Amino acid sequence: MAEEVRGPDTTALDEVVTFTSELIRIDTTNRGGGDCRERPAAEYVAERLAAAGVEPTLLERTPGRTNVVARIPGTDPSAEALLVHGHLDVVPADPAEWTVHPFSGEVRDGVVWGRGAVDMKNMDAMVLAVVRAWARQGVRPRRDIVLAYTADEEASAEDGSGFLADRHAGLFEGCTEGISESGAFSFHPHPGTTLYPIAAGERGTAWIKLTAQGRAGHGSKVNTANAVTRLADAVARIGAHTWPVRLTATVRAALAELAALYALDIDTAAPDLDVDLLLDKLGPAAALVAPTVRNSSNPTMLEAGYKVNVIPGQAVAYIDGRTLPGTEEEFAATMDRLTGPHVEWEFHHREVALEAPVDSPTFAKLRAAVERFDPAGHVVPFTMSGGTDAKQFSRLGITGYGFSPLRLPPDLDYAALFHGVDERVPVEALHFGVRVLDHYLKTA
Ligand SMILES: [Zn+2]
């Protein structure tokens, strides 16, 4: 158990900063439609793994869209393997809007700035720093650990985790659980209260295409079968729809933890629980659960017509729908009803919802790792409102948790930095993450 006490060395604490900064400087902007090149970042990671004796495999479905996979053998051959994955691509950033150049990786006053500083080159760098420290210290984890640095998470995942799950399942043999982004960052809803939300599930993706049919004609004539009017009616109904509350096990567990933390005299297990009232009482802490107590359906794109005085025969709209686990049938039936006559709907893109158990030994270990390094912090499970690579890896039977630990200063709004302007991460937060990951991954 000596390694457990030892923790990462000072080299690891230096390297995590260097790696975060240098990975940010490798511009891996994913503009969608295949417009991205992760290869230089993948090579950067692979070289540093190889130097630590961890043999990397580079895999591409499309030239330049490189993924890196490596396996660290554990000491307990009977233990199931653990997947640790992070994506190498980032969303676009407009330098004109930023305080520092988004691809400078500048370290200023103890803070690393740039696109990817929290989503998620920080996690990529923390994991890299940890496994290199293990090589120096002669540490081996209990479980096999499979590392995956993926391409294309910010678009379709077709060149990344989707490709790996479809074509290279063998590399993930024995993996039953995984950890990745969007969890275990500190969140400060009230002065003196520090929460660490650990993700145990994701809402499903249900992107919808609506097509309204009508009678084409001159814009000056009476037309009671106007496709644009029909479409607009359906879009307005869908956008304004209030979805019913549907509590999943994870969300119910989150509500129970928060109600206890704030000493609210509310039975969160009651079948007639007034969730909106409870959310009201939680104040800013409600932000953790409010987006995931219901499905959602937001209209986002409209396509119709080509000339002001011509009524088109068809009009099309797209809806960004998100579904909680177990609500897929209800979602479809609601769409049938809200679209009404003359408007057809179909799935444009669909991904399953995920739910990971919060009463599992793994969740308990994730919780313990965070609380060991911040005893005043409270771990709360949560469900992500959107999706990550965990959806693709779930097809291999891998249960995913969102766990990329950061202890952030109370005035830094982590959620706003995600895909936001002036994305940045304090050096101290990276050091915390390295310590937590080192401890968790060794003992997982
Ligand atoms: Zn991400």
Side-chain angles (χ1 to χ4, degrees):
M1 301 296 278
E3 309 88 340
E4 239 192 279
V5 179
R6 198 154 155 203
D9 56 16
T10 53
T11 304
L13 301 182
D14 291 342
E15 282 193 346
V16 70
V17 179
T18 307
F19 295 165
T20 303
S21 166
E22 290 183 350
L23 281 169
I24 289 168
R25 272 156 54 187
I26 303 171
D27 182 349
T28 52
T29 300
N30 190 342
R31 292 178 184 81
D35 183 0
C36 182
R37 194 165 176 273
E38 292 90 350
R39 184 159 190 102
E43 286 174 347
Y44 180 94
V45 169
E47 280 165 23
R48 280 151 189 81
L49 287 173
V54 179
E55 199 52 51
T57 305
L58 276 70
L59 304 129
E60 291 180 341
R61 171 179 172 267
T62 305
R65 309 302 306 274
T66 316
N67 301 271
V68 182
V69 180
R71 183 180 287 250
I72 300 169
T75 54
D76 179 357
S78 69
E80 289 156 332
L82 177 73
L83 171 64
V84 182
H85 59 101
H87 59 83
L88 294 167
D89 58 330
V90 295
V91 293
D94 177 1
E97 297 175 336
W98 283 57
T99 305
V100 303
H101 194 284
F103 299 101
S104 67
E106 189 174 326
V107 186
R108 184 194 285 188
D109 302 327
V111 177
V112 187
W113 290 69
R115 177 58 86 220
V118 299
D119 183 14
M120 63 173 296
K121 287 174 169 172
N122 60 327
M123 176 69 167
D124 296 337
M126 292 192 294
V127 173
L128 194 52
V130 166
V131 302
R132 284 167 58 87
W134 290 356
R136 287 188 298 276
Q137 297 172 332
V139 169
R140 275 179 68 194
R142 187 180 74 85
R143 297 168 79 166
D144 271 21
I145 290 179
V146 176
L147 305 175
Y149 291 88
T150 62
D152 204 24
E153 194 273 347
E154 298 289 5
S156 68
E158 283 173 13
D159 281 310
S161 55
F163 159 68
L164 295 176
D166 286 340
R167 303 289 301 278
H168 296 282
L171 292 171
F172 304 93
E173 201 180 322
C175 288
T176 53
E177 294 170 310
I179 63 165
S180 190
E181 64 182 307
S182 300
F185 50 88
S186 62
F187 168 54
H188 305 88
H190 299 95
T193 303
T194 306
L195 304 181
Y196 287 91
I198 294 179
E202 305 180 353
R203 291 199 302 177
T205 305
W207 293 351
I208 303 295
K209 181 184 183 185
L210 302 180
T211 307
Q213 304 293 347
R215 193 174 68 249
H218 198 287
S220 69
K221 305 289 188 199
V222 172
N223 188 326
T224 55
N226 183 321
V228 175
T229 306
R230 288 171 169 174
L231 181 79
D233 283 347
V235 165
R237 282 193 296 272
I238 292 167
H241 183 63
T242 302
W243 291 86
V245 168
R246 295 285 179 258
L247 294 185
T248 63
T250 302
V251 172
R252 206 177 268 280
L255 291 173
E257 295 252 6
L258 292 170
L261 181 66
Y262 289 100
L264 301 176
D265 186 21
I266 292 177
D267 176 11
T268 55
D272 63 343
L273 172 67
D274 185 339
V275 173
D276 289 316
L277 180 70
L278 173 54
L279 293 178
D280 236 28
K281 288 184 192 272
L282 290 173
L288 267 189
V289 275
T292 57
V293 298
R294 314 178 142 85
N295 292 338
S296 60
S297 55
N298 283 309
T300 50
M301 299 202 299
L302 297 167
E303 294 167 0
Y306 57 93
K307 199 165 184 297
V308 176
N309 62 352
V310 178
I311 297 168
Q314 183 176 297
V316 170
Y318 291 86
I319 310 289
D320 180 339
R322 306 285 170 153
T323 54
L324 287 157
T327 65
E328 290 79 4
E329 269 180 42
E330 180 188 9
F331 186 87
T334 307
M335 278 297 150
D336 285 342
R337 184 164 54 80
L338 293 176
T339 46
H342 314 299
V343 179
E344 297 290 316
W345 72 272
E346 64 189 301
F347 286 108
H348 172 64
H349 180 72
R350 197 177 185 186
E351 300 276 4
V352 293
L354 302 181
E355 181 144 56
V358 298
D359 55 358
S360 64
T362 292
F363 194 88
K365 284 186 176 183
L366 293 170
R367 177 193 293 274
V370 168
E371 290 177 352
R372 179 187 175 100
F373 294 95
D374 188 352
H378 301 275
V379 167
V380 180
F382 84 114
T383 299
M384 287 187 235
S385 60
T388 70
D389 276 344
K391 286 199 196 311
Q392 305 300 325
F393 290 120
S394 76
R395 295 194 275 121
L396 303 177
I398 298 172
T399 300
Y401 291 96
F403 190 80
S404 59
L406 292 175
R407 183 170 58 197
L408 299 163
D411 58 343
L412 196 60
D413 184 355
Y414 176 80
L417 296 177
F418 247 86
H419 295 192
V421 169
D422 283 348
E423 189 177 340
R424 61 196 185 276
V425 66
V427 167
E428 280 301 314
L430 294 172
H431 288 176
F432 174 82
V434 165
R435 290 190 178 99
V436 174
L437 282 171
D438 169 72
H439 177 73
Y440 169 68
L441 293 174
K442 268 194 283 213
T443 55

mmCIF file of all heavy atoms in Angstrom, residues 89-133:
data_model
loop_
_atom_site.group_PDB
_atom_site.id
_atom_site.type_symbol
_atom_site.label_atom_id
_atom_site.label_comp_id
_atom_site.label_asym_id
_atom_site.label_seq_id
_atom_site.Cartn_x
_atom_site.Cartn_y
_atom_site.Cartn_z
ATOM 1 N N ASP A 89 -10.073 16.486 -29.807
ATOM 2 C CA ASP A 89 -10.567 17.620 -30.592
ATOM 3 C C ASP A 89 -11.227 18.644 -29.670
ATOM 4 O O ASP A 89 -11.538 18.355 -28.511
ATOM 5 C CB ASP A 89 -11.552 17.155 -31.680
ATOM 6 C CG ASP A 89 -12.761 16.396 -31.123
ATOM 7 O OD1 ASP A 89 -12.621 15.731 -30.080
ATOM 8 O OD2 ASP A 89 -13.849 16.479 -31.728
ATOM 9 N N VAL A 90 -11.380 19.840 -30.195
ATOM 10 C CA VAL A 90 -12.024 20.932 -29.444
ATOM 11 C C VAL A 90 -13.020 21.632 -30.363
ATOM 12 O O VAL A 90 -12.959 21.491 -31.583
ATOM 13 C CB VAL A 90 -10.995 21.975 -28.921
ATOM 14 C CG1 VAL A 90 -10.057 21.354 -27.901
ATOM 15 C CG2 VAL A 90 -10.214 22.615 -30.059
ATOM 16 N N VAL A 91 -13.917 22.412 -29.764
ATOM 17 C CA VAL A 91 -14.850 23.195 -30.578
ATOM 18 C C VAL A 91 -14.146 24.486 -31.034
ATOM 19 O O VAL A 91 -13.144 24.887 -30.446
ATOM 20 C CB VAL A 91 -16.153 23.529 -29.813
ATOM 21 C CG1 VAL A 91 -16.953 22.262 -29.536
ATOM 22 C CG2 VAL A 91 -15.883 24.289 -28.536
ATOM 23 N N PRO A 92 -14.657 25.149 -32.074
ATOM 24 C CA PRO A 92 -13.994 26.363 -32.577
ATOM 25 C C PRO A 92 -13.927 27.485 -31.536
ATOM 26 O O PRO A 92 -14.712 27.509 -30.579
ATOM 27 C CB PRO A 92 -14.880 26.776 -33.756
ATOM 28 C CG PRO A 92 -15.578 25.528 -34.178
ATOM 29 C CD PRO A 92 -15.798 24.749 -32.912
ATOM 30 N N ALA A 93 -12.959 28.383 -31.725
ATOM 31 C CA ALA A 93 -12.836 29.558 -30.862
ATOM 32 C C ALA A 93 -12.450 30.743 -31.741
ATOM 33 O O ALA A 93 -11.579 30.613 -32.603
ATOM 34 C CB ALA A 93 -11.767 29.322 -29.802
ATOM 35 N N ASP A 94 -13.099 31.891 -31.528
ATOM 36 C CA ASP A 94 -12.805 33.089 -32.309
ATOM 37 C C ASP A 94 -11.850 33.984 -31.505
ATOM 38 O O ASP A 94 -12.252 34.553 -30.485
ATOM 39 C CB ASP A 94 -14.117 33.832 -32.592
ATOM 40 C CG ASP A 94 -13.887 35.141 -33.353
ATOM 41 O OD1 ASP A 94 -12.711 35.455 -33.670
ATOM 42 O OD2 ASP A 94 -14.875 35.835 -33.634
ATOM 43 N N PRO A 95 -10.575 34.096 -31.954
ATOM 44 C CA PRO A 95 -9.577 34.866 -31.186
ATOM 45 C C PRO A 95 -10.038 36.289 -30.871
ATOM 46 O O PRO A 95 -9.655 36.848 -29.838
ATOM 47 C CB PRO A 95 -8.353 34.887 -32.110
ATOM 48 C CG PRO A 95 -8.534 33.720 -33.021
ATOM 49 C CD PRO A 95 -10.025 33.536 -33.184
ATOM 50 N N ALA A 96 -10.868 36.880 -31.720
ATOM 51 C CA ALA A 96 -11.302 38.269 -31.511
ATOM 52 C C ALA A 96 -12.090 38.417 -30.204
ATOM 53 O O ALA A 96 -12.143 39.499 -29.619
ATOM 54 C CB ALA A 96 -12.159 38.736 -32.690
ATOM 55 N N GLU A 97 -12.715 37.331 -29.756
ATOM 56 C CA GLU A 97 -13.549 37.408 -28.556
ATOM 57 C C GLU A 97 -12.766 37.138 -27.263
ATOM 58 O O GLU A 97 -13.283 37.327 -26.170
ATOM 59 C CB GLU A 97 -14.677 36.363 -28.642
ATOM 60 C CG GLU A 97 -15.636 36.599 -29.805
ATOM 61 C CD GLU A 97 -16.675 35.477 -29.957
ATOM 62 O OE1 GLU A 97 -16.416 34.340 -29.507
ATOM 63 O OE2 GLU A 97 -17.728 35.754 -30.546
ATOM 64 N N TRP A 98 -11.532 36.659 -27.397
ATOM 65 C CA TRP A 98 -10.789 36.159 -26.230
ATOM 66 C C TRP A 98 -9.817 37.193 -25.651
ATOM 67 O O TRP A 98 -9.279 38.027 -26.363
ATOM 68 C CB TRP A 98 -9.998 34.912 -26.624
ATOM 69 C CG TRP A 98 -10.826 33.659 -26.744
ATOM 70 C CD1 TRP A 98 -11.923 33.473 -27.546
ATOM 71 C CD2 TRP A 98 -10.619 32.427 -26.052
ATOM 72 N NE1 TRP A 98 -12.413 32.197 -27.389
ATOM 73 C CE2 TRP A 98 -11.625 31.532 -26.479
ATOM 74 C CE3 TRP A 98 -9.683 31.987 -25.125
ATOM 75 C CZ2 TRP A 98 -11.720 30.223 -25.997
ATOM 76 C CZ3 TRP A 98 -9.759 30.687 -24.641
ATOM 77 C CH2 TRP A 98 -10.777 29.818 -25.075
ATOM 78 N N THR A 99 -9.556 37.069 -24.346
ATOM 79 C CA THR A 99 -8.563 37.905 -23.667
ATOM 80 C C THR A 99 -7.148 37.513 -24.105
ATOM 81 O O THR A 99 -6.281 38.374 -24.282
ATOM 82 C CB THR A 99 -8.686 37.726 -22.135
ATOM 83 O OG1 THR A 99 -10.029 38.015 -21.766
ATOM 84 C CG2 THR A 99 -7.733 38.645 -21.395
ATOM 85 N N VAL A 100 -6.904 36.194 -24.232
ATOM 86 C CA VAL A 100 -5.630 35.713 -24.777
ATOM 87 C C VAL A 100 -5.967 34.884 -26.010
ATOM 88 O O VAL A 100 -7.115 34.486 -26.195
ATOM 89 C CB VAL A 100 -4.865 34.815 -23.766
ATOM 90 C CG1 VAL A 100 -4.610 35.536 -22.459
ATOM 91 C CG2 VAL A 100 -5.614 33.524 -23.509
ATOM 92 N N HIS A 101 -4.972 34.639 -26.861
ATOM 93 C CA HIS A 101 -5.265 33.832 -28.053
ATOM 94 C C HIS A 101 -5.675 32.418 -27.616
ATOM 95 O O HIS A 101 -4.995 31.801 -26.794
ATOM 96 C CB HIS A 101 -4.046 33.773 -28.970
ATOM 97 C CG HIS A 101 -4.394 33.255 -30.343
ATOM 98 N ND1 HIS A 101 -4.629 31.907 -30.578
ATOM 99 C CD2 HIS A 101 -4.593 33.884 -31.517
ATOM 100 C CE1 HIS A 101 -4.945 31.745 -31.850
ATOM 101 N NE2 HIS A 101 -4.935 32.932 -32.450
ATOM 102 N N PRO A 102 -6.800 31.911 -28.150
ATOM 103 C CA PRO A 102 -7.319 30.620 -27.666
ATOM 104 C C PRO A 102 -6.398 29.425 -27.926
ATOM 105 O O PRO A 102 -6.581 28.374 -27.307
ATOM 106 C CB PRO A 102 -8.648 30.464 -28.423
ATOM 107 C CG PRO A 102 -8.603 31.429 -29.551
ATOM 108 C CD PRO A 102 -7.718 32.544 -29.126
ATOM 109 N N PHE A 103 -5.426 29.585 -28.818
ATOM 110 C CA PHE A 103 -4.510 28.461 -29.062
ATOM 111 C C PHE A 103 -3.086 28.785 -28.621
ATOM 112 O O PHE A 103 -2.125 28.207 -29.117
ATOM 113 C CB PHE A 103 -4.593 28.027 -30.536
ATOM 114 C CG PHE A 103 -5.984 27.567 -30.900
ATOM 115 C CD1 PHE A 103 -6.858 28.408 -31.603
ATOM 116 C CD2 PHE A 103 -6.459 26.338 -30.464
ATOM 117 C CE1 PHE A 103 -8.162 28.006 -31.879
ATOM 118 C CE2 PHE A 103 -7.764 25.926 -30.736
ATOM 119 C CZ PHE A 103 -8.609 26.765 -31.439
ATOM 120 N N SER A 104 -2.975 29.732 -27.662
ATOM 121 C CA SER A 104 -1.645 30.108 -27.152
ATOM 122 C C SER A 104 -1.199 29.173 -26.041
ATOM 123 O O SER A 104 -0.010 28.988 -25.801
ATOM 124 C CB SER A 104 -1.667 31.541 -26.625
ATOM 125 O OG SER A 104 -2.501 31.615 -25.465
ATOM 126 N N GLY A 105 -2.139 28.581 -25.314
ATOM 127 C CA GLY A 105 -1.766 27.743 -24.171
ATOM 128 C C GLY A 105 -1.012 28.536 -23.116
ATOM 129 O O GLY A 105 -0.250 27.968 -22.328
ATOM 130 N N GLU A 106 -1.251 29.828 -23.070
ATOM 131 C CA GLU A 106 -0.495 30.704 -22.167
ATOM 132 C C GLU A 106 -0.766 30.353 -20.692
ATOM 133 O O GLU A 106 -1.906 30.105 -20.299
ATOM 134 C CB GLU A 106 -0.903 32.161 -22.421
ATOM 135 C CG GLU A 106 -0.028 33.159 -21.703
ATOM 136 C CD GLU A 106 -0.363 34.597 -22.092
ATOM 137 O OE1 GLU A 106 -0.743 34.847 -23.266
ATOM 138 O OE2 GLU A 106 -0.240 35.469 -21.214
ATOM 139 N N VAL A 107 0.323 30.329 -19.913
ATOM 140 C CA VAL A 107 0.186 30.149 -18.472
ATOM 141 C C VAL A 107 0.434 31.514 -17.840
ATOM 142 O O VAL A 107 1.535 32.043 -17.884
ATOM 143 C CB VAL A 107 1.191 29.110 -17.920
ATOM 144 C CG1 VAL A 107 0.914 28.839 -16.443
ATOM 145 C CG2 VAL A 107 1.113 27.804 -18.719
ATOM 146 N N ARG A 108 -0.639 32.096 -17.297
ATOM 147 C CA ARG A 108 -0.545 33.463 -16.768
ATOM 148 C C ARG A 108 -1.112 33.484 -15.349
ATOM 149 O O ARG A 108 -2.247 33.063 -15.137
ATOM 150 C CB ARG A 108 -1.359 34.403 -17.675
ATOM 151 C CG ARG A 108 -1.267 35.862 -17.293
ATOM 152 C CD ARG A 108 -2.360 36.669 -18.002
ATOM 153 N NE ARG A 108 -2.055 36.885 -19.422
ATOM 154 C CZ ARG A 108 -2.792 37.687 -20.204
ATOM 155 N NH1 ARG A 108 -3.860 38.303 -19.727
ATOM 156 N NH2 ARG A 108 -2.470 37.848 -21.470
ATOM 157 N N ASP A 109 -0.328 33.966 -14.403
ATOM 158 C CA ASP A 109 -0.763 34.072 -13.001
ATOM 159 C C ASP A 109 -1.374 32.762 -12.481
ATOM 160 O O ASP A 109 -2.434 32.771 -11.849
ATOM 161 C CB ASP A 109 -1.798 35.204 -12.845
ATOM 162 C CG ASP A 109 -1.233 36.541 -13.296
ATOM 163 O OD1 ASP A 109 -0.017 36.756 -13.123
ATOM 164 O OD2 ASP A 109 -2.001 37.360 -13.843
ATOM 165 N N GLY A 110 -0.698 31.667 -12.794
ATOM 166 C CA GLY A 110 -1.158 30.388 -12.245
ATOM 167 C C GLY A 110 -2.379 29.797 -12.922
ATOM 168 O O GLY A 110 -3.057 28.942 -12.353
ATOM 169 N N VAL A 111 -2.664 30.262 -14.127
ATOM 170 C CA VAL A 111 -3.833 29.756 -14.854
ATOM 171 C C VAL A 111 -3.418 29.409 -16.286
ATOM 172 O O VAL A 111 -2.705 30.191 -16.927
ATOM 173 C CB VAL A 111 -4.964 30.814 -14.879
ATOM 174 C CG1 VAL A 111 -6.157 30.325 -15.708
ATOM 175 C CG2 VAL A 111 -5.414 31.150 -13.459
ATOM 176 N N VAL A 112 -3.848 28.245 -16.771
ATOM 177 C CA VAL A 112 -3.588 27.856 -18.160
ATOM 178 C C VAL A 112 -4.796 28.261 -18.997
ATOM 179 O O VAL A 112 -5.923 27.868 -18.699
ATOM 180 C CB VAL A 112 -3.362 26.329 -18.305
ATOM 181 C CG1 VAL A 112 -2.927 25.993 -19.729
ATOM 182 C CG2 VAL A 112 -2.352 25.818 -17.291
ATOM 183 N N TRP A 113 -4.523 29.060 -20.044
ATOM 184 C CA TRP A 113 -5.604 29.600 -20.876
ATOM 185 C C TRP A 113 -5.641 28.901 -22.229
ATOM 186 O O TRP A 113 -4.602 28.626 -22.819
ATOM 187 C CB TRP A 113 -5.373 31.096 -21.145
ATOM 188 C CG TRP A 113 -5.541 31.984 -19.956
ATOM 189 C CD1 TRP A 113 -4.731 32.042 -18.864
ATOM 190 C CD2 TRP A 113 -6.573 32.950 -19.741
ATOM 191 N NE1 TRP A 113 -5.194 32.982 -17.980
ATOM 192 C CE2 TRP A 113 -6.323 33.567 -18.495
ATOM 193 C CE3 TRP A 113 -7.687 33.364 -20.486
ATOM 194 C CZ2 TRP A 113 -7.145 34.567 -17.974
ATOM 195 C CZ3 TRP A 113 -8.503 34.366 -19.974
ATOM 196 C CH2 TRP A 113 -8.230 34.954 -18.733
ATOM 197 N N GLY A 114 -6.859 28.696 -22.736
ATOM 198 C CA GLY A 114 -6.996 28.269 -24.118
ATOM 199 C C GLY A 114 -8.114 27.277 -24.334
ATOM 200 O O GLY A 114 -8.643 26.676 -23.396
ATOM 201 N N ARG A 115 -8.467 27.132 -25.610
ATOM 202 C CA ARG A 115 -9.538 26.206 -25.990
ATOM 203 C C ARG A 115 -9.109 24.774 -25.664
ATOM 204 O O ARG A 115 -8.056 24.328 -26.103
ATOM 205 C CB ARG A 115 -9.828 26.363 -27.501
ATOM 206 C CG ARG A 115 -10.858 25.406 -28.026
ATOM 207 C CD ARG A 115 -12.209 25.507 -27.307
ATOM 208 N NE ARG A 115 -13.086 26.520 -27.850
ATOM 209 C CZ ARG A 115 -13.849 27.325 -27.083
ATOM 210 N NH1 ARG A 115 -13.799 27.251 -25.758
ATOM 211 N NH2 ARG A 115 -14.640 28.213 -27.647
ATOM 212 N N GLY A 116 -9.914 24.120 -24.856
ATOM 213 C CA GLY A 116 -9.594 22.762 -24.428
ATOM 214 C C GLY A 116 -9.089 22.708 -22.989
ATOM 215 O O GLY A 116 -8.873 21.630 -22.448
ATOM 216 N N ALA A 117 -8.928 23.882 -22.355
ATOM 217 C CA ALA A 117 -8.383 23.917 -20.987
ATOM 218 C C ALA A 117 -9.272 23.147 -20.015
ATOM 219 O O ALA A 117 -8.783 22.575 -19.040
ATOM 220 C CB ALA A 117 -8.213 25.362 -20.518
ATOM 221 N N VAL A 118 -10.602 23.137 -20.264
ATOM 222 C CA VAL A 118 -11.485 22.290 -19.455
ATOM 223 C C VAL A 118 -12.180 21.195 -20.287
ATOM 224 O O VAL A 118 -12.628 20.200 -19.721
ATOM 225 C CB VAL A 118 -12.544 23.091 -18.641
ATOM 226 C CG1 VAL A 118 -11.864 24.032 -17.661
ATOM 227 C CG2 VAL A 118 -13.514 23.824 -19.522
ATOM 228 N N ASP A 119 -12.256 21.370 -21.580
ATOM 229 C CA ASP A 119 -12.961 20.386 -22.424
ATOM 230 C C ASP A 119 -12.118 20.043 -23.639
ATOM 231 O O ASP A 119 -12.269 20.647 -24.676
ATOM 232 C CB ASP A 119 -14.318 20.951 -22.850
ATOM 233 C CG ASP A 119 -15.141 19.967 -23.655
ATOM 234 O OD1 ASP A 119 -14.797 18.771 -23.660
ATOM 235 O OD2 ASP A 119 -16.114 20.391 -24.300
ATOM 236 N N MET A 120 -11.229 19.020 -23.506
ATOM 237 C CA MET A 120 -10.889 18.354 -22.279
ATOM 238 C C MET A 120 -9.429 17.953 -22.291
ATOM 239 O O MET A 120 -9.038 16.880 -21.880
ATOM 240 C CB MET A 120 -11.818 17.136 -22.039
ATOM 241 C CG MET A 120 -11.718 16.042 -23.087
ATOM 242 S SD MET A 120 -12.661 14.539 -22.668
ATOM 243 C CE MET A 120 -11.921 13.889 -21.198
ATOM 244 N N LYS A 121 -8.601 18.891 -22.822
ATOM 245 C CA LYS A 121 -7.166 18.610 -22.871
ATOM 246 C C LYS A 121 -6.575 18.571 -21.461
ATOM 247 O O LYS A 121 -5.515 17.979 -21.242
ATOM 248 C CB LYS A 121 -6.473 19.616 -23.774
ATOM 249 C CG LYS A 121 -6.791 19.320 -25.246
ATOM 250 C CD LYS A 121 -6.276 20.314 -26.237
ATOM 251 C CE LYS A 121 -6.429 19.744 -27.651
ATOM 252 N NZ LYS A 121 -6.114 20.736 -28.697
ATOM 253 N N ASN A 122 -7.275 19.190 -20.510
ATOM 254 C CA ASN A 122 -6.848 19.100 -19.107
ATOM 255 C C ASN A 122 -6.849 17.644 -18.638
ATOM 256 O O ASN A 122 -5.884 17.161 -18.062
ATOM 257 C CB ASN A 122 -7.770 19.954 -18.226
ATOM 258 C CG ASN A 122 -9.228 19.505 -18.287
ATOM 259 O OD1 ASN A 122 -9.709 19.020 -19.322
ATOM 260 N ND2 ASN A 122 -9.942 19.655 -17.193
ATOM 261 N N MET A 123 -7.938 16.942 -18.901
ATOM 262 C CA MET A 123 -8.061 15.535 -18.493
ATOM 263 C C MET A 123 -7.059 14.669 -19.263
ATOM 264 O O MET A 123 -6.413 13.790 -18.695
ATOM 265 C CB MET A 123 -9.496 15.060 -18.722
ATOM 266 C CG MET A 123 -9.752 13.596 -18.444
ATOM 267 S SD MET A 123 -9.641 13.156 -16.686
ATOM 268 C CE MET A 123 -10.387 11.500 -16.759
ATOM 269 N N ASP A 124 -6.925 14.937 -20.563
ATOM 270 C CA ASP A 124 -5.939 14.200 -21.368
ATOM 271 C C ASP A 124 -4.559 14.329 -20.720
ATOM 272 O O ASP A 124 -3.813 13.357 -20.602
ATOM 273 C CB ASP A 124 -5.879 14.778 -22.797
ATOM 274 C CG ASP A 124 -7.185 14.598 -23.569
ATOM 275 O OD1 ASP A 124 -7.969 13.691 -23.225
ATOM 276 O OD2 ASP A 124 -7.409 15.378 -24.516
ATOM 277 N N ALA A 125 -4.224 15.556 -20.313
ATOM 278 C CA ALA A 125 -2.903 15.830 -19.727
ATOM 279 C C ALA A 125 -2.774 15.211 -18.336
ATOM 280 O O ALA A 125 -1.708 14.688 -17.978
ATOM 281 C CB ALA A 125 -2.681 17.339 -19.653
ATOM 282 N N MET A 126 -3.847 15.254 -17.547
ATOM 283 C CA MET A 126 -3.776 14.700 -16.185
ATOM 284 C C MET A 126 -3.515 13.199 -16.230
ATOM 285 O O MET A 126 -2.675 12.678 -15.493
ATOM 286 C CB MET A 126 -5.083 14.991 -15.418
ATOM 287 C CG MET A 126 -5.274 16.471 -15.115
ATOM 288 S SD MET A 126 -6.611 16.843 -13.924
ATOM 289 C CE MET A 126 -8.068 16.364 -14.783
ATOM 290 N N VAL A 127 -4.224 12.504 -17.111
ATOM 291 C CA VAL A 127 -4.057 11.046 -17.209
ATOM 292 C C VAL A 127 -2.642 10.711 -17.693
ATOM 293 O O VAL A 127 -1.969 9.818 -17.161
ATOM 294 C CB VAL A 127 -5.130 10.450 -18.145
ATOM 295 C CG1 VAL A 127 -4.869 8.974 -18.407
ATOM 296 C CG2 VAL A 127 -6.520 10.657 -17.554
ATOM 297 N N LEU A 128 -2.179 11.481 -18.666
ATOM 298 C CA LEU A 128 -0.826 11.272 -19.193
ATOM 299 C C LEU A 128 0.217 11.484 -18.088
ATOM 300 O O LEU A 128 1.149 10.678 -17.926
ATOM 301 C CB LEU A 128 -0.609 12.258 -20.355
ATOM 302 C CG LEU A 128 0.563 12.058 -21.295
ATOM 303 C CD1 LEU A 128 0.591 10.639 -21.855
ATOM 304 C CD2 LEU A 128 0.471 13.091 -22.439
ATOM 305 N N ALA A 129 0.056 12.540 -17.314
ATOM 306 C CA ALA A 129 1.007 12.830 -16.234
ATOM 307 C C ALA A 129 0.990 11.721 -15.183
ATOM 308 O O ALA A 129 2.045 11.326 -14.662
ATOM 309 C CB ALA A 129 0.680 14.182 -15.593
ATOM 310 N N VAL A 130 -0.193 11.204 -14.884
ATOM 311 C CA VAL A 130 -0.309 10.151 -13.866
ATOM 312 C C VAL A 130 0.390 8.869 -14.319
ATOM 313 O O VAL A 130 1.187 8.284 -13.578
ATOM 314 C CB VAL A 130 -1.798 9.858 -13.536
ATOM 315 C CG1 VAL A 130 -1.947 8.555 -12.762
ATOM 316 C CG2 VAL A 130 -2.399 11.022 -12.737
ATOM 317 N N VAL A 131 0.124 8.427 -15.544
ATOM 318 C CA VAL A 131 0.705 7.137 -15.954
ATOM 319 C C VAL A 131 2.219 7.249 -16.137
ATOM 320 O O VAL A 131 2.953 6.276 -15.930
ATOM 321 C CB VAL A 131 0.022 6.534 -17.206
ATOM 322 C CG1 VAL A 131 -1.468 6.345 -16.957
ATOM 323 C CG2 VAL A 131 0.254 7.368 -18.436
ATOM 324 N N ARG A 132 2.709 8.440 -16.457
ATOM 325 C CA ARG A 132 4.172 8.618 -16.548
ATOM 326 C C ARG A 132 4.803 8.612 -15.149
ATOM 327 O O ARG A 132 5.909 8.096 -14.967
ATOM 328 C CB ARG A 132 4.487 9.910 -17.307
ATOM 329 C CG ARG A 132 4.269 9.737 -18.821
ATOM 330 C CD ARG A 132 4.271 11.070 -19.537
ATOM 331 N NE ARG A 132 5.503 11.815 -19.349
ATOM 332 C CZ ARG A 132 6.588 11.688 -20.109
ATOM 333 N NH1 ARG A 132 6.590 10.835 -21.128
ATOM 334 N NH2 ARG A 132 7.659 12.418 -19.881
ATOM 335 N N ALA A 133 4.077 9.152 -14.177
ATOM 336 C CA ALA A 133 4.591 9.106 -12.798
ATOM 337 C C ALA A 133 4.669 7.649 -12.327
ATOM 338 O O ALA A 133 5.635 7.249 -11.666
ATOM 339 C CB ALA A 133 3.699 9.923 -11.875
#
